[in-house]
Amino acid sequence: MSFAKLDAHGHSLSALEHALSILGVDEATAMASGGGEQRAETMASLSGMLHRQATDSKLAQWIADAKAEDLTTEQNIAVAEFERNYINMTCLPADFVERKMRTSMRSEQLWRTARPNGDWEAFRPALEGVVEMVREEAAMRAEVLGLAPYDALMEQFDPGNRTSDITPVFAALKAFLVDFLPKALALQQERHAKRPLKALSGEYPVERQKALGLEMMQAVGFDMNHGSLSVSDHPFCGGVPTDVRLTTRYRTDEFLPALMGILHETGHGLYEQNLPKAWAHWPSGKARGMSLHESQSLFVEKQIGRNPAFWQFALPHLARHLGEDWSIEDLLPHVHLIKRGKIRVDADEVTYPLHVILRYELEQALLSGELEVRDLPEAWDTKMRDYLGISTIDDPKNGPMQDVHWPSGAFGYFPSYTLGAMMAAQQWAAIVADHPGANADIAAGDLGALNTWRRERIWHRASMGSTPEILREATGESLNPAHFIAHLEARYGV
Amino acid sequence: MSFAKLDAHGHSLSALEHALSILGVDEATAMASGGGEQRAETMASLSGMLHRQATDSKLAQWIADAKAEDLTTEQNIAVAEFERNYINMTCLPADFVERKMRTSMRSEQLWRTARPNGDWEAFRPALEGVVEMVREEAAMRAEVLGLAPYDALMEQFDPGNRTSDITPVFAALKAFLVDFLPKALALQQERHAKRPLKALSGEYPVERQKALGLEMMQAVGFDMNHGSLSVSDHPFCGGVPTDVRLTTRYRTDEFLPALMGILHETGHGLYEQNLPKAWAHWPSGKARGMSLHESQSLFVEKQIGRNPAFWQFALPHLARHLGEDWSIEDLLPHVHLIKRGKIRVDADEVTYPLHVILRYELEQALLSGELEVRDLPEAWDTKMRDYLGISTIDDPKNGPMQDVHWPSGAFGYFPSYTLGAMMAAQQWAAIVADHPGANADIAAGDLGALNTWRRERIWHRASMGSTPEILREATGESLNPAHFIAHLEARYGV
Ligand SMILES: [Zn+2]
Ligand SMILES: [Zn+2]
């Protein structure tokens, strides 16, 4: 029976994925510094095994045969996902894959040396090489998948996401934000004038921050029997669904960034922990994609964690762990602080989408050839001034050189962040429509009803549909910018 | 070129071994408790991949072809070791390997439930099944390898170790110890009567013990850039040569067991860290075997760590970290405490070999059929009374049920412990003959000359010879019990 062969293949791939994931966590949290070179060789070798197994030509036959077998609905969906993965992984010739890996690695290395000095001219040739390569890659993927080139790139990160759906939504959001941002900033200034920002700085030992973080993780539903929290230079959510490894980093003079980081990663972790167990080794049993994943982290960070109701619940815990007796009026202005800035990763939820839309537009222009790399700094600057009122023309380090995505060859990934934020707001609106007591529940620290909704409609769906399908079935409508806009208006408006 | 294929094969196997090793460390030190089942599946799956790659029938051809190629001496030795591994791994039929795995797993599980109650009759049938299976295994290995059955089992753990060499050596040691132990105990009693044992108990925070342990690890040569120390239920040395992971466990009311445990594991770690880097992925570049490995851990624990000269060096560090101002006269009686007991793992260096020789004799009798499992409790008791003057006839839990080795199917492993102790003493004697200032060096905390000797003669030899060859080339003679006997007489005698 061919499905049984696919099933065994799924176990084998999952074992290699499990190993790679835990080795990655170990590298960031436990590895001795001198162990890096050998670890990199090991991971390359295991990735090679994974790639060879995932692209083995026998799979095409097993998939074709399995389709003719008498299978359950779940098995049929699994076969379709095995096929989708197989096509996405075999649509590039092996020599191109190798060239891509070498090109991206060299370009990323060059970026790491050129970026600290903002040396655009040193970095530009490498980026030109990457863009040339990505154009080729997109054309090849587009041909095999029957999609437009940019859609074919997005398909790797979020099956079903299409520019024809996203562009009008981003256009509406951009129009709103360009108008909304100055008003929200003016309102914030007025509020700060009436009640000056009270500094939250102090001396917060790491152990206390960690205890607070662990308590908040569990309050929003994280299962400590299947996961843990540790420390790394860059916070992440790694590991496997049965053992989700969150990390954060602490500063002892402030607690809010570490705590919000923990909540964000906890959102990713809840999705992983609540995937359906029986199909964990089928592609249809894994988390869907980047934008849906980000909708889960941003749901916990923004919809729950920056919700005033959450702080009603959290304040006594904060006081107990940190010994600080803040009022909610002291805290919320920090939790909701907005600011224009050059750097995407430092942006708040009002300005972040503008950073993303800028990249979404520019990477499409680069891909189509409408824009060339040599003209990128000007194009970037023009959009930064238009959308955020900031110029980066004299500061390429904090302009087009700020992100690792392009130097490493990841085009089509950026929209995931803002799609995630919008989908989180849309899910929240759907929950509140079903369950008007959602805010009161959060204030009482009772996430039961919220998590039941999310478990049934998002987490348990795993990869049983495309990203837009899962969203539509969960919320009753396609991606709709109105919910995110209403969320921002309610939180940052009058 | 076939050697190049073997070389690539070595990289691939090493990557899987690296993954399995780090996953094992992670399981013991970082994994969430609920992650165990999935981890076990993952490790079984990766072990299966490793086994399939290591026993791939293509290897026989590559090995045969490589032998005809024009290779360096090192490459020729590598080919011989590739062949040795291949033969040892393919000499059992696949269905037997699977039956062995199932039988051992069930027997080990049964042992875990039966042991706490000392329920010999519940455990006996499982052990009978294991012994039956091990007899079959030894016969098959013996036939392929052209060795006696017990030698064929030992060959897995220490290539070259033979009963014809070991039995007379163990006989001499046993004769010495049965006579020496009562005398040494009487002497100890006299000393304690003159100067009563001063209790070393106190309150030693884990962080301070760890700082002391790290300092002692580095003092004996451990490279913290390629390794670390953490905590697990059972101390071990794991990881990979470029990133050696030591663990220990702490009690806050005593410091000596944790510290001696750290020194023991550091000995294992030094061997791994100092293997030749260029051949790390060839079998000839790995640590030789269990008894040579144990000789390295026991060298650091017993020859260095329980040497009075070491405590001259260590005392001020002890005082600084633990705040205790012990004199060397307070400490040494604890470091050198000897005691008759039923339990091998709790034994000291005088009584430990008697526990091992008892098992060495009994497992040969079980293998040959001279002894049956139903008669094991009596046979065990007889030897315990003869060698150690203790009866276990009413206490099977602390008699033949005490070790995991037999229930898990590991026959031929036990001699490694005492061979290690004897080889450590023989290496020490050879070093002192070359370098009479060894004790003074240790007292000064200068391990340079000692470690240079060990690096050149043991660590860098890796698996370039058999266990007896490496010992002979390092020390100028075959295994000679006189050195271990002289060591015990000097340390515990008059
Ligand atoms: Zn995220
Ligand atoms: Zn050991």
Side-chain angles (χ1 to χ4, degrees):
Chain A
M1 178 147 151
S2 285
F3 186 79
K5 288 179 193 154
L6 287 176
D7 186 73
H9 167 72
H11 276 297
S12 183
L13 288 192
S14 291
L16 285 166
E17 286 165 358
H18 183 135
L20 282 163
S21 182
I22 297 295
L23 288 172
V25 172
D26 180 89
E27 180 165 344
T29 60
M31 190 182 76
S33 57
E37 203 179 321
Q38 189 58 48
R39 177 62 56 86
E41 243 188 63
T42 293
M43 291 186 71
S45 187
L46 294 176
S47 301
M49 285 180 212
L50 181 64
H51 190 263
R52 275 191 302 281
Q53 290 190 17
T55 58
D56 189 323
S57 59
K58 282 187 307 228
L59 287 171
Q61 195 56 54
W62 293 352
I63 290 165
D65 293 347
K67 282 180 176 176
E69 288 169 354
D70 187 25
L71 302 177
T72 65
T73 307
E74 283 77 16
Q75 289 173 328
N76 276 315
I77 296 173
V79 173
E81 284 297 311
F82 273 118
E83 183 169 36
R84 213 185 54 70
N85 279 0
Y86 183 71
I87 292 171
N88 271 279
M89 290 196 72
T90 52
C91 63
L92 304 177
D95 61 334
F96 181 84
V97 171
E98 206 183 303
R99 180 154 65 90
K100 183 188 166 189
M101 187 126 61
R102 273 203 315 276
T103 306
S104 316
M105 223 153 79
R106 266 199 239 113
S107 145
E108 193 181 323
Q109 277 165 358
L110 197 72
W111 172 75
R112 289 194 193 280
T113 24
R115 199 204 159 205
N117 318 312
D119 190 348
W120 169 255
E121 283 307 317
F123 169 58
R124 186 171 58 82
L127 186 58
E128 282 169 345
V130 169
V131 167
E132 199 49 59
M133 182 193 74
V134 170
R135 286 172 182 166
E136 270 185 73
E137 176 180 352
M140 286 188 277
R141 290 186 181 277
E143 171 145 4
V144 174
L145 300 173
L147 293 174
Y150 191 80
D151 288 351
L153 293 179
M154 284 200 297
E155 186 71 4
Q156 302 168 84
F157 307 115
D158 278 290
N161 278 2
R162 302 287 175 260
T163 45
S164 55
D165 300 322
I166 294 168
T167 302
V169 166
F170 275 8
L173 179 60
K174 180 171 74 172
F176 164 76
L177 285 175
V178 168
D179 175 62
F180 179 73
L181 177 60
K183 291 186 199 158
L185 283 167
L187 266 172
Q188 174 173 270
Q189 202 169 8
E190 271 176 45
R191 289 196 198 105
H192 290 183
K194 275 188 222 149
R195 183 184 172 100
L197 259 185
K198 181 166 165 181
L200 299 184
S201 51
E203 178 63 29
Y204 309 112
V206 166
E207 278 315 305
R208 295 212 188 151
Q209 292 193 57
K210 183 173 180 185
L212 172 65
L214 285 170
E215 194 165 345
M216 295 299 104
M217 282 165 70
Q218 291 173 82
V220 298
F222 191 86
D223 173 5
M224 295 305 304
N225 194 37
H226 289 98
S228 56
L229 172 67
S230 61
V231 169
S232 67
D233 288 345
H234 300 281
F236 64 80
C237 167
V240 293
T242 49
D243 184 13
V244 173
R245 306 291 179 87
L246 306 189
T247 71
T248 192
R249 63 187 155 204
Y250 300 99
R251 286 175 48 165
T252 52
D253 60 342
E254 54 180 14
F255 68 92
L256 204 54
L259 180 59
M260 298 318 290
I262 289 172
L263 288 170
H264 181 95
E265 302 307 337
T266 300
H268 285 301
L270 286 174
Y271 189 11
E272 293 289 327
Q273 285 189 334
N274 287 280
L275 290 165
K277 311 256 176 300
W279 320 318
H281 60 294
W282 295 349
S284 50
K286 319 240 170 195
R288 175 68 285 182
M290 292 306 149
S291 63
L292 212 55
H293 228 305
E294 202 62 13
S295 81
Q296 296 314 294
S297 57
L298 293 175
F299 191 97
V300 175
E301 185 197 336
K302 311 286 192 192
Q303 300 300 328
I304 299 177
R306 297 189 193 265
N307 184 332
F310 175 78
W311 290 94
Q312 280 179 252
F313 159 71
L315 270 182
H317 300 288
L318 207 66
R320 183 160 43 84
H321 287 288
L322 304 185
E324 292 279 19
D325 204 11
W326 306 113
S327 73
I328 203 156
E329 291 76 17
D330 295 330
L331 263 161
L332 285 183
H334 289 276
V335 171
H336 296 155
L337 196 65
I338 57 178
K339 214 160 88 182
R340 297 178 204 270
K342 293 176 185 172
I343 304 291
R344 176 184 59 83
V345 296
D346 295 338
D348 52 79
E349 60 180 330
V350 178
T351 54
Y352 201 113
L354 293 168
H355 290 277
V356 166
I357 293 169
L358 171 151
R359 286 156 177 79
Y360 175 75
E361 293 169 346
L362 290 177
E363 65 184 7
Q364 287 181 73
L366 285 167
L367 193 66
S368 69
E370 199 184 308
L371 176 67
E372 293 299 338
V373 170
R374 62 172 174 275
D375 301 321
L376 182 59
E378 286 73 23
W380 187 287
D381 181 65
T382 304
K383 286 190 191 284
M384 277 301 286
R385 284 187 285 109
D386 286 356
Y387 304 167
L388 280 153
I390 298 178
S391 172
T392 58
I393 196 69
D394 297 326
D395 189 9
K397 174 185 167 189
N398 296 314
M401 289 180 80
Q402 69 183 268
D403 299 304
V404 69
H405 302 59
W406 291 349
S408 70
F411 280 66
Y413 187 106
F414 277 124
S416 310
Y417 298 110
T418 290
L419 294 171
M422 297 176 75
M423 292 198 284
Q426 186 163 328
Q427 288 164 40
W428 172 258
I431 290 172
V432 172
D434 283 0
H435 182 64
N439 272 319
D441 278 8
I442 291 175
D446 174 10
L447 278 277
L450 264 80
N451 283 354
T452 298
W453 191 101
R454 295 162 72 213
R455 188 176 295 111
E456 285 168 5
R457 305 208 185 195
I458 307 286
W459 303 337
H460 274 190
R461 297 301 317 284
S463 287
M464 300 286 285
S466 72
T467 299
E469 279 164 2
I470 291 173
L471 180 71
R472 194 161 50 238
E473 285 161 28
T475 66
E477 59 179 331
S478 299
L479 186 66
N480 179 352
H483 302 294
F484 186 58
I485 289 173
H487 160 72
L488 294 182
E489 286 183 320
R491 187 168 284 177
Y492 300 92
V494 256
Chain B
M1 179 148 151
S2 285
F3 186 80
K5 288 179 195 154
L6 287 176
D7 186 73
H9 166 73
H11 276 297
S12 184
L13 289 192
S14 291
L16 286 166
E17 286 164 358
H18 182 137
L20 282 163
S21 181
I22 296 295
L23 288 173
V25 172
D26 180 89
E27 179 165 345
T29 60
M31 190 182 76
S33 58
E37 203 179 321
Q38 189 58 47
R39 176 62 57 84
E41 244 187 62
T42 293
M43 292 186 70
S45 187
L46 296 175
S47 301
M49 285 180 212
L50 181 64
H51 190 262
R52 275 192 301 282
Q53 291 191 18
T55 58
D56 190 325
S57 59
K58 282 188 307 226
L59 286 171
Q61 194 56 55
W62 293 351
I63 290 165
D65 292 349
K67 283 179 174 178
E69 288 169 356
D70 187 25
L71 303 177
T72 65
T73 307
E74 283 77 16
Q75 289 173 328
N76 276 316
I77 295 173
V79 173
E81 284 298 310
F82 273 118
E83 184 170 35
R84 214 185 52 72
N85 280 357
Y86 182 71
I87 292 172
N88 271 279
M89 291 197 72
T90 53
C91 63
L92 303 177
D95 60 336
F96 181 84
V97 170
E98 207 183 300
R99 180 153 66 89
K100 181 187 168 188
M101 188 126 60
R102 272 203 316 276
T103 306
S104 318
M105 224 153 79
R106 266 198 240 114
S107 144
E108 194 180 322
Q109 277 164 0
L110 196 73
W111 172 74
R112 287 192 196 283
T113 24
R115 199 206 158 205
N117 318 310
D119 191 347
W120 168 255
E121 283 308 317
F123 170 57
R124 188 171 55 83
L127 186 57
E128 281 168 346
V130 170
V131 167
E132 199 49 57
M133 183 192 76
V134 171
R135 286 172 183 167
E136 272 185 72
E137 176 180 351
M140 286 188 278
R141 291 187 180 277
E143 170 145 5
V144 174
L145 300 173
L147 292 174
Y150 190 81
D151 287 351
L153 293 179
M154 285 199 298
E155 186 71 6
Q156 302 168 82
F157 307 114
D158 278 290
N161 277 4
R162 302 288 175 259
T163 44
S164 55
D165 299 323
I166 294 168
T167 302
V169 167
F170 275 9
L173 180 59
K174 181 170 74 171
F176 165 75
L177 285 176
V178 168
D179 176 64
F180 179 73
L181 177 60
K183 291 187 200 156
L185 283 168
L187 265 172
Q188 177 174 268
Q189 202 169 6
E190 271 177 46
R191 288 197 197 105
H192 290 183
K194 276 189 221 149
R195 183 183 170 100
L197 260 185
K198 178 165 169 182
L200 298 184
S201 52
E203 177 62 30
Y204 309 111
V206 167
E207 278 316 303
R208 295 216 190 146
Q209 290 192 57
K210 183 173 179 184
L212 171 65
L214 286 170
E215 194 165 346
M216 293 302 103
M217 281 164 71
Q218 292 172 81
V220 296
F222 191 85
D223 173 5
M224 294 305 304
N225 193 38
H226 288 99
S228 56
L229 172 67
S230 61
V231 169
S232 68
D233 287 346
H234 300 282
F236 63 81
C237 168
V240 294
T242 50
D243 183 14
V244 173
R245 306 291 179 88
L246 306 190
T247 71
T248 192
R249 63 185 156 203
Y250 301 99
R251 285 174 50 162
T252 53
D253 60 342
E254 53 179 16
F255 68 91
L256 202 54
L259 181 59
M260 297 319 290
I262 289 172
L263 288 171
H264 180 96
E265 302 308 335
T266 299
H268 285 302
L270 285 173
Y271 189 10
E272 293 290 326
Q273 285 188 336
N274 287 281
L275 290 165
K277 311 257 176 300
W279 321 318
H281 61 294
W282 296 349
S284 50
K286 319 241 170 195
R288 174 68 284 180
M290 293 306 148
S291 62
L292 211 56
H293 228 304
E294 202 62 13
S295 81
Q296 297 313 294
S297 56
L298 293 176
F299 191 97
V300 175
E301 184 198 338
K302 312 285 193 193
Q303 300 301 328
I304 298 177
R306 297 190 192 264
N307 184 332
F310 175 77
W311 290 94
Q312 279 179 254
F313 159 70
L315 269 182
H317 300 288
L318 206 66
R320 184 161 42 83
H321 287 288
L322 304 184
E324 294 278 18
D325 205 11
W326 306 113
S327 74
I328 203 155
E329 290 78 16
D330 296 329
L331 264 161
L332 286 184
H334 289 277
V335 170
H336 296 155
L337 196 63
I338 56 177
K339 215 160 87 181
R340 296 179 204 270
K342 293 176 185 171
I343 304 291
R344 175 184 58 85
V345 295
D346 295 338
D348 52 79
E349 61 180 329
V350 179
T351 55
Y352 202 112
L354 292 169
H355 290 276
V356 165
I357 294 170
L358 173 152
R359 286 155 177 78
Y360 174 74
E361 293 169 346
L362 290 178
E363 65 184 7
Q364 288 182 73
L366 284 168
L367 193 66
S368 70
E370 197 184 310
L371 175 67
E372 292 300 336
V373 170
R374 63 172 173 275
D375 301 321
L376 182 58
E378 285 72 25
W380 188 285
D381 180 64
T382 304
K383 286 190 189 286
M384 278 299 288
R385 284 187 285 111
D386 285 357
Y387 304 169
L388 281 152
I390 298 179
S391 172
T392 57
I393 195 70
D394 298 325
D395 189 7
K397 175 185 167 188
N398 296 315
M401 290 180 78
Q402 69 183 269
D403 299 303
V404 70
H405 302 60
W406 290 349
S408 71
F411 280 67
Y413 188 105
F414 278 123
S416 309
Y417 298 110
T418 290
L419 293 171
M422 296 174 77
M423 292 198 286
Q426 186 163 329
Q427 288 163 40
W428 173 258
I431 290 172
V432 173
D434 283 1
H435 182 65
N439 273 319
D441 279 7
I442 292 176
D446 173 10
L447 280 277
L450 263 79
N451 283 352
T452 298
W453 191 100
R454 296 164 71 214
R455 187 177 296 110
E456 285 169 4
R457 306 210 183 193
I458 306 288
W459 305 336
H460 274 191
R461 297 301 316 282
S463 287
M464 300 287 285
S466 70
T467 299
E469 280 165 2
I470 291 173
L471 180 72
R472 194 162 48 238
E473 285 161 28
T475 66
E477 58 179 330
S478 299
L479 185 65
N480 178 353
H483 302 293
F484 185 58
I485 289 173
H487 160 71
L488 294 182
E489 285 183 320
R491 188 168 284 176
Y492 300 93
V494 256

PDB file of all heavy atoms in Angstrom, chain A residues 264 268 294 297, ligand 1:
ATOM      1  N   HIS A 264       4.925  36.944  22.899  1.00  0.00           N
ATOM      2  CA  HIS A 264       4.947  36.717  21.454  1.00  0.00           C
ATOM      3  C   HIS A 264       5.333  35.262  21.146  1.00  0.00           C
ATOM      4  O   HIS A 264       4.616  34.549  20.424  1.00  0.00           O
ATOM      5  CB  HIS A 264       5.931  37.686  20.795  1.00  0.00           C
ATOM      6  CG  HIS A 264       6.010  37.534  19.304  1.00  0.00           C
ATOM      7  ND1 HIS A 264       5.267  38.309  18.450  1.00  0.00           N
ATOM      8  CD2 HIS A 264       6.729  36.676  18.535  1.00  0.00           C
ATOM      9  CE1 HIS A 264       5.531  37.930  17.192  1.00  0.00           C
ATOM     10  NE2 HIS A 264       6.417  36.956  17.217  1.00  0.00           N
ATOM     11  N   HIS A 268       3.410  31.630  19.370  1.00  0.00           N
ATOM     12  CA  HIS A 268       3.916  30.624  18.427  1.00  0.00           C
ATOM     13  C   HIS A 268       3.847  29.230  19.073  1.00  0.00           C
ATOM     14  O   HIS A 268       3.446  28.251  18.445  1.00  0.00           O
ATOM     15  CB  HIS A 268       5.377  30.917  18.058  1.00  0.00           C
ATOM     16  CG  HIS A 268       5.565  32.064  17.106  1.00  0.00           C
ATOM     17  ND1 HIS A 268       4.996  32.089  15.863  1.00  0.00           N
ATOM     18  CD2 HIS A 268       6.284  33.222  17.211  1.00  0.00           C
ATOM     19  CE1 HIS A 268       5.352  33.214  15.225  1.00  0.00           C
ATOM     20  NE2 HIS A 268       6.136  33.922  16.027  1.00  0.00           N
ATOM     21  N   GLU A 294       2.423  33.724  12.490  1.00  0.00           N
ATOM     22  CA  GLU A 294       2.590  35.055  13.066  1.00  0.00           C
ATOM     23  C   GLU A 294       1.257  35.579  13.607  1.00  0.00           C
ATOM     24  O   GLU A 294       1.231  36.339  14.579  1.00  0.00           O
ATOM     25  CB  GLU A 294       3.182  36.004  12.013  1.00  0.00           C
ATOM     26  CG  GLU A 294       3.873  37.228  12.568  1.00  0.00           C
ATOM     27  CD  GLU A 294       5.097  36.943  13.446  1.00  0.00           C
ATOM     28  OE1 GLU A 294       5.604  35.797  13.463  1.00  0.00           O
ATOM     29  OE2 GLU A 294       5.534  37.878  14.146  1.00  0.00           O
ATOM     30  N   SER A 297       1.229  34.302  17.180  1.00  0.00           N
ATOM     31  CA  SER A 297       2.113  35.005  18.114  1.00  0.00           C
ATOM     32  C   SER A 297       1.593  36.413  18.375  1.00  0.00           C
ATOM     33  O   SER A 297       1.597  36.887  19.507  1.00  0.00           O
ATOM     34  CB  SER A 297       3.542  35.050  17.572  1.00  0.00           C
ATOM     35  OG  SER A 297       3.597  35.653  16.306  1.00  0.00           O
TER      36      SER A 297
HETATM   37 ZN    ZN C   1       6.917  35.787  15.512  1.00  0.00          ZN
END
